[in-house]
Each structure stands twice: as structure tokens, then as C-alpha cells.
Amino acid sequence: MGRINNARRGGLEDCSVWRTELPDIVLTGGERRAGLGNYFYTKMLFSALTDADWLDTEAYFMNRPLSLKTTAIKNLLQKLNTYIAPWWDTKKDINLRRCQILKAAIKHGDDRPGLFSMTVPTGGGKTVSSMAFALNHASRHGLRRIIYVIPYCSILEQTQSVFEDIFGQENITAHYSGAEFSSEAELEDQRVFSTENWEAPIILTTAVQFFESIYSNKPGKSRKLHNIAQSVLIFDEAQMLPVSYLRPCLAAIGELVKNYRCSAVLCTATQPSVEGLLREYVPEAQIRELCPEPERMYQAFRRVRYTDDGQMTDEGLIECLRAHRQVLCVVNSRRQAQALYAALEADDGSFHLSTTMTPYDRRCQLQSIRMRLHDGKDCRVISTSLIEAGVDVDFPVVYRALAGLDSIIQSGGRCNREGKRPADESLVHIFRTSAKAPRMLEQNISAAARILKSYRDIDSLEAIHSYFQFLFYLKDDRQLDEKEILDHVRKLNFKSVSENFKLIDGADYTVYIPIEESKGLIQELRRNGPDRDLLRKLGPYSVTIYRWYFSELCKAGALEAIAENAGILLNPALYSRKTGLPLTVPEQSQALFI
């Protein structure tokens, strides 16, 4: 009360410097402010306060102020222009069309800030084109940074490599579980610092990291939030925003655009129909398309033909795969992927990809796959959906278990990717399987089955639009916010929001795998205990699993716990570098540990 009375007499020091961190926002206080606006305004102020407190504390212990030497947006734009300069002098038809898309993206950089879509067909060069828009837009309107949000770590790693080639490693900050930093002390300090509060010109992060930071009540996750203000936000593969959290995700995007001077780009080859939902949070919203004549571009980039093969047994599917020297098969579950690979494992050139493997081993497998494809050698790959979006591989034929239409089309993007073969000879076989699909995919599969019956060209923009319209119709309003996040947000129940907003519910338990490349780091972990830098370096050698599986491994004595939700695998024999962790704890392993 003494401080409050002092404030009433005008006795508090000037604290208006916070306005340099956040744009001017005209919002009234207390009950007059809408629940969503009130929540975000509170979180933004909390973020600025928390970050300032942590920076002051770190500066005190390091005996110097902490600051990040950042490259100006205009200098990054110059690097991009230098990189793309040779592209304009091309005679190849497909490259001419890519240049059309790139040129349109650059031109739209002058558009007023707001909401954009980038509906670019697979192979249209959307990664570089979206960044070209972002840098030109940021430069034109004085925005501070580009935040590139990607659904999977596997895609992020590839995108990170592309951007580091263009802008240099020092200008790219990647924030995700598998991020590994340079061992050079100065660089490490700067990059670790920038991942904590996103004070860098280009941030690459996952959808999980981005949205869970917005809805978390933890100071460590929240401190970056105020640095999202005045940014260009690119949501790559936007169709992969989880439907059960779609409303909270769109509400966050809308609030950032409406009140915090952000521009947002929904970037995908299969654009979901979300404009109506976005208008609920930004009534004046008009999503502007960056790709010139999307329908014509889709026709020009069509490189495959889809065929519905109906029901298939696993045995029949294996026979079909063996009939091709190079083939990709994508299924809906890790269990089926492991079973199919087991039937093919003895064949030369057989590969398996799924999230049961560490990111490091997946990268090694992908390198081998690309080399065999390039050299014309036998290459048969069984994969889960992780290969669908952004993974640069080119197969002559693809088999895809019936799934959501967006997943089917993304799998089709791995077939005849470079357009070297006629489209009619590059087939994507859609098949039904007796293996049970995950429950969360059931409505997506129903909607896709309807489109297969109704449309000859299932990858047309009309078919894609109908698919999402029908999918959202199948789901009632509650299913677009299953955990009632927005209801808790309006009531300012910060703890409930944080506890319930989990994009990958229950799959947040980490197992560190002692393979040859990680042994030294794991020894260091055992010797010194966990710290944030060491755990980031161990990220490429980890597997994320569900709570129940973590408990089973603990009961079997197969894990050495280092935290409530993390442990080191004690028996390396449980992990296969070809297939990853088994999906259940083998009985012989339990007996071994007993």
C-alpha cells in the first residue's frame, strides 16, 4: 500500500521505456477490454518484464550488458538478392514459372501489413519465395524480424540448411529440440541467448514451440513473446495446424496481426479454408494471395497422376513394392511402418523412416536414400507421414495409405518432384489397408474418401477447397477447440490455458539414445547433470515418446531417469538405427532388466 500511495502522489520512477518494446496499442483497462485482447496484452507485458529481469540478472553475473549483434533486414535482403540473381536468366519452363512466383512475392512486399496466403504447388519454390516476400515486406514497413514456423523438426532442419546457405549461419537462429550450436564460445553465447528471447533477425521454430510459448504461463517460454511483435510470421505447411487446436491457433495469429503490427503468411500447397474462422478474430481480415494465378500454376506444376487402388493386404502391398526398383510407401502408423519394413528388410536398398528414430539417424537414412535415387540403385522406402512435407526426395512412384487429402497430395509431392518424367507415367497409388489408422485421422480419411468419389483431379484447388469445407463441417465447433482453450483465455485462467494447450498431447517425454556419436555427450550428462546447452546438443540423438511408453521403460529398468520426463536408454540393444525404438517394451528386455 505504501508503494501504491507513493504512485498516487506521482512518486514512481518513469517506466515508459516499455513502449520501445511494444507498438502503441489503444486498449482500455479492466472489464472494458475483450478477453482475448486482455489475455494477450497481459502476456506481452509479462514477457517484456520477464525478459528484462532475466537480461539484467545475466548481465550482472557476466559483469557486462548482454546484447546480440544482429544484421539489419536491408543487409539480409541484399544477401537474398545476390543469391537469387542467377535465377532470372533461365530458359527452362519450370524455372520460368518459379521465377514468376518469386517476382510476384517480391512485388507484394509493398502491400500494407496484414494477412496473406501463399498457395504454391509442390516444387514451386515457396521456401525462397516466402522469405523474399518477408524480407521485402519487413524492409518496406520497418518490421523487426522474420519468424518462420514449421510443423516438423525434420522439415525445419532442411529449411535451416537452405537459409544458412543464403544468409550465413550467424544470421539464422533455430529454436527446436534438435538444435545444435557451435562450440565456439562467443557464437554459442549469442545463439543460445537469441533462442531464449528471439532477439534475432531470422528465427526458425516449430509450431509446437511457437504456439505453446504464446499459451504457456512459464516465464522461460513467455519471455520471447514481446519479440514476436512487429514481425513477419510465415506458417509453412499451414494445413498441418492441428484441427483440435485450430481456433486457438487462428485466434493467436489474428491477435498478433490486429494489435501487434505483425503480418502473417499461411504458406502451403494445400490451403485450408480458414478465412471465415479468421474473420471471427479479425473482422476486417482479407487474406491476400501472393501466388499469381494459383489455378494456372497448379496445372503447370502437375507432375503426377493419382489412382485409387482400393483395399490391399500387407502381403499384396509388399508384392507391389517389390515390383518397383525405386518406390516410396507412406502409411498412417509407426506400427505398420515397422511391420512393412520387417518384410522388406532383407532386400537390398530397403529403408525405414519414422519418429521412433533419432533425428540424426533419420538424416543419415535420407542421405543414403538420396544417393541411391541419384545413382539409379534399388531404393524402397517405408515411411510415416514425416516425409510428406518439405523433405526433398524424388521417387518415380509412390504408394499412400488413404489419409487426409492434404497428406495424400503432400506424398504426391515426393513423386516426379523434378518433373523429369511424364505426369501420366508418375503414379501415386492410394490404397486402403486393414491396419487401423489413428483415431484423430478418422474424419480426415472420411472427407478424403468423399473427394476421391467426387473429383477426377483430387489435387485441383476446387477439390482441396471442398475437402477442407467438408472436414470442418464434420467437426462441430467444439472439436476446433477441444480443450476449451479460448474459454479459459477469456477468463484469464493462465494456468489452465498452459496446462491444456499441448499440440502433441502426452508425447513430451524424451529418451536420449547412446549411439556412437552421442556417447561423449551422454557421459557429460551423467557427469555434470542436465543443462540447457547440453540438452540442445543431445537433441539430434533423442526420441520423443508418449507418457505410457516412458512409464513402461522405467518399470522394465530400461531407463536412467535424469528428470521427470527425460531419461537415458540403458540398453542400446533396444534401439535399432534402422527402425528406432520398438513400440512396446519386448518381454525379453523386461526379463533382462529384472
Side-chain angles (χ1 to χ4, degrees):
M1 286 304 301
R3 295 183 69 195
I4 291 174
N5 290 332
N6 195 28
R8 286 173 177 156
R9 292 191 294 269
L12 285 185
E13 63 182 286
D14 178 30
C15 60
S16 61
V17 70
W18 69 270
R19 294 190 180 277
T20 66
E21 293 284 337
L22 294 173
D24 289 334
I25 303 160
V26 182
L27 286 172
T28 55
E31 294 300 318
R32 298 184 199 172
R33 189 158 59 228
L36 188 63
N38 204 353
Y39 171 88
F40 263 83
Y41 195 55
T42 306
K43 282 295 298 284
M44 285 287 184
L45 292 174
F46 177 64
S47 170
L49 173 65
T50 303
D51 191 40
D53 183 45
W54 284 27
L55 292 178
D56 279 353
T57 303
E58 290 174 10
Y60 173 81
F61 282 106
M62 296 179 72
N63 200 30
R64 62 179 174 84
L66 277 176
S67 63
L68 183 69
K69 299 184 183 75
T70 60
T71 303
I73 291 290
K74 64 179 182 180
N75 293 335
L76 295 174
L77 180 57
Q78 182 56 52
K79 286 178 180 288
L80 179 69
N81 289 336
T82 300
Y83 182 83
I84 64 176
W87 295 7
W88 304 116
D89 186 24
T90 183
K91 302 294 187 290
K92 192 176 179 182
D93 183 61
I94 195 167
N95 288 336
L96 286 170
R97 296 188 186 281
R98 286 170 178 156
C99 286
Q100 278 183 272
I101 295 169
L102 178 58
K103 190 178 294 184
I106 292 170
K107 184 178 179 182
H108 279 293
D110 288 338
D111 292 358
R112 60 181 171 80
L115 287 163
F116 300 87
S117 61
M118 194 169 199
T119 312
V120 175
T122 304
K126 65 181 170 62
T127 300
V128 173
S129 291
S130 60
M131 181 57 78
F133 164 78
L135 286 172
N136 279 277
H137 192 64
S139 178
R140 171 70 175 80
H141 297 286
L143 303 180
R144 297 189 298 174
R145 62 184 47 85
I146 287 84
I147 302 177
Y148 213 97
V149 184
I150 297 178
Y152 291 144
C153 286
S154 57
I155 308 171
L156 195 151
E157 291 157 7
Q158 181 170 293
T159 306
Q160 180 181 354
S161 176
V162 171
F163 287 157
E164 285 180 351
D165 285 346
I166 300 173
F167 304 109
Q169 187 185 45
E170 69 280 3
N171 291 313
I172 305 297
T173 294
H175 191 185
Y176 62 108
S177 60
E180 186 171 8
F181 298 93
S182 167
S183 59
E184 297 172 16
E186 183 179 354
L187 179 60
E188 181 169 313
D189 276 349
Q190 298 231 338
R191 296 188 77 187
V192 170
F193 166 62
S194 61
T195 61
E196 293 300 320
N197 71 350
W198 287 5
E199 192 172 329
I202 298 177
I203 301 287
L204 269 67
T205 191
T206 60
V208 171
Q209 186 69 243
F210 183 85
F211 288 109
E212 289 191 4
S213 293
I214 286 174
Y215 287 113
S216 174
N217 69 341
K218 302 289 189 292
K221 276 184 173 280
S222 298
R223 68 179 287 197
K224 65 177 77 72
L225 192 57
H226 68 289
N227 277 328
I228 297 177
Q230 302 179 77
S231 297
V232 183
L233 312 174
I234 301 174
F235 296 92
D236 194 22
E237 308 300 349
Q239 81 284 350
M240 299 182 81
L241 290 175
V243 174
S244 55
Y245 291 93
L246 189 60
R247 280 191 175 277
C249 290
L250 294 178
I253 294 170
E255 186 68 18
L256 289 167
V257 169
K258 182 179 179 181
N259 284 323
Y260 297 92
R261 284 201 68 213
C262 288
S263 283
V265 185
L266 302 178
C267 190
T268 176
T270 50
Q271 196 68 250
S273 306
V274 296
E275 189 163 2
L277 292 172
L278 267 170
R279 280 214 178 98
E280 293 183 26
Y281 309 108
V282 193
E284 67 279 11
Q286 178 188 1
I287 301 181
R288 288 159 283 169
E289 177 59 52
L290 300 178
C291 179
E293 302 179 274
E295 186 64 57
R296 188 171 64 84
M297 286 296 179
Y298 267 69
Q299 294 295 331
F301 278 92
R302 179 167 282 137
R303 297 187 298 278
V304 301
R305 181 163 61 87
Y306 293 87
T307 174
D308 187 353
D309 291 359
Q311 192 73 28
M312 267 194 188
T313 63
D314 282 0
E315 293 77 12
L317 178 59
I318 292 295
E319 284 185 26
C320 289
L321 298 180
R322 282 193 169 125
H324 302 280
R325 293 193 60 226
Q326 296 185 338
V327 60
L328 169 65
C329 176
V330 184
V331 292
N332 293 323
S333 74
R334 295 178 295 181
R335 192 176 302 278
Q336 188 180 18
Q338 288 190 356
L340 290 171
Y341 175 74
L344 283 173
E345 187 172 7
D347 297 2
D348 181 49
S350 294
F351 296 90
H352 165 276
L353 291 169
S354 85
T355 53
T356 58
M357 304 162 64
T358 67
Y360 179 84
D361 283 334
R362 289 201 303 267
R363 282 201 298 268
C364 291
Q365 291 282 65
L366 278 167
Q367 285 175 359
S368 298
I369 288 166
R370 291 187 181 108
M371 285 178 61
R372 294 187 75 94
L373 289 172
H374 179 267
D375 296 340
K377 295 180 179 178
D378 287 0
C379 185
R380 300 179 185 90
V381 177
I382 308 292
S383 179
T384 58
S385 60
L386 70 84
I387 201 171
E388 287 175 347
V391 180
D392 188 8
V393 288
D394 185 359
F395 286 86
V397 61
V398 168
Y399 282 74
R400 182 50 167 107
L402 182 63
L405 184 64
D406 51 331
S407 290
I408 293 170
I409 294 172
Q410 292 290 350
S411 288
R414 308 318 114 194
C415 181
N416 194 24
R417 188 170 178 82
E418 297 303 319
K420 295 176 180 176
R421 296 171 289 273
D424 282 345
E425 296 175 15
S426 304
L427 298 181
V428 179
H429 298 266
I430 304 165
F431 63 93
R432 278 79 167 165
T433 173
S434 57
K436 191 171 178 59
R439 187 178 175 185
M440 63 181 180
L441 294 181
E442 288 175 355
Q443 290 180 325
N444 302 65
I445 289 172
S446 296
R450 176 183 171 122
I451 297 301
L452 281 170
K453 290 179 182 177
S454 306
Y455 289 88
R456 181 183 174 192
D457 296 326
I458 65 168
D459 58 342
S460 67
L461 288 181
E462 182 184 356
I464 293 166
H465 180 78
S466 295
Y467 165 77
F468 281 109
Q469 289 284 86
F470 185 60
L471 178 62
F472 295 158
Y473 171 78
L474 284 177
K475 295 181 180 291
D476 60 38
D477 199 54
R478 186 179 176 280
Q479 287 179 295
L480 302 180
D481 184 8
E482 281 187 356
K483 298 295 180 70
E484 300 179 342
I485 301 297
L486 293 180
D487 187 48
H488 289 300
V489 162
R490 292 183 187 100
K491 296 173 182 175
L492 298 184
N493 293 336
F494 293 97
K495 184 179 179 184
S496 297
V497 170
S498 183
E499 289 174 348
N500 286 287
F501 192 91
K502 304 289 182 186
L503 289 192
I504 309 177
D505 193 21
D508 51 3
Y509 287 71
T510 302
V511 178
Y512 296 103
I513 309 297
I515 58 178
E516 188 62 37
E517 293 83 357
S518 67
K519 283 181 180 176
L521 292 170
I522 285 178
Q523 285 175 1
E524 186 180 344
L525 179 61
R526 286 192 170 113
R527 186 169 56 248
N528 301 326
D531 66 64
R532 69 185 183 190
D533 300 340
L534 179 57
L535 294 184
R536 281 201 182 97
K537 292 175 183 177
L538 273 166
Y541 313 107
S542 66
V543 177
T544 303
I545 60 176
Y546 286 97
R547 184 184 299 111
W548 68 265
Y549 189 30
F550 189 87
S551 299
E552 288 296 313
L553 288 170
C554 287
K555 287 176 188 175
L559 279 184
E560 175 187 346
I562 61 167
E564 184 182 346
N565 64 342
I568 301 168
L569 190 68
L570 286 173
N571 181 10
L574 277 179
Y575 179 81
S576 163
R577 301 195 70 167
K578 292 183 177 180
T579 58
L581 282 174
L583 294 171
T584 56
V585 182
E587 289 184 15
Q588 61 268 32
S589 296
Q590 295 185 25
L592 173 66
F593 288 106
I594 291 168

